[in-house]
Amino acid sequence: MGELQATMTQNEFESWVEYYKEAPFDDAHRFHRPAALVSESMARGGMTEKLEWLRGSALDAEPEATGNGQYSAADMATFAALGVKPPSV
């Protein structure tokens, strides 16, 4: 922790906190959702089951869900970047 405090200002840390809120870089958003989306496009089936399998547990409720309440803003950005409509869960 000391190294972090010595190399990063409070302002930079707060900027990273805001960035993470807008574009989470956890496993669910970096790996699980894109993998489930690719699998869904190739093999169909349930997106929920794929995500549960990838995560190893039940889906967590996403507090910042948008649209129909199933996907976060980061999820919607991923779908848009891949040029696809969000699948129904």
Side-chain angles (χ1 to χ4, degrees), residues 4-25:
L4 177 62
Q5 291 174 330
T7 59
M8 184 182 294
T9 66
Q10 182 68 28
N11 189 33
E12 182 180 1
F13 176 76
E14 290 171 4
S15 294
W16 276 110
V17 170
E18 285 302 311
Y19 175 78
Y20 183 80
K21 286 178 184 177
E22 293 176 16
F25 42 90

Side-chain angles (χ1 to χ4, degrees), residues 54-89:
L54 287 166
R55 290 181 181 176
S57 64
L59 286 172
D60 297 324
E62 298 200 13
E64 296 181 28
T66 59
N68 59 9
Q70 296 174 345
Y71 302 108
S72 69
D75 296 329
M76 297 304 286
T78 300
F79 295 137
L82 294 171
V84 297
K85 293 180 183 176
S88 58
V89 175

Side-chain angles (χ1 to χ4, degrees), residues 26-70:
D26 57 353
D27 286 350
H29 291 90
R30 291 181 58 217
F31 305 114
H32 300 157
R33 288 269 187 190
L37 182 61
V38 170
S39 175
E40 176 74 14
S41 72
M42 298 173 81
R44 301 290 171 224
M47 183 96 165
T48 302
E49 291 80 13
K50 290 176 174 73
L51 286 169
E52 287 175 352
W53 182 80
L54 287 166
R55 290 181 181 176
S57 64
L59 286 172
D60 297 324
E62 298 200 13
E64 296 181 28
T66 59
N68 59 9
Q70 296 174 345

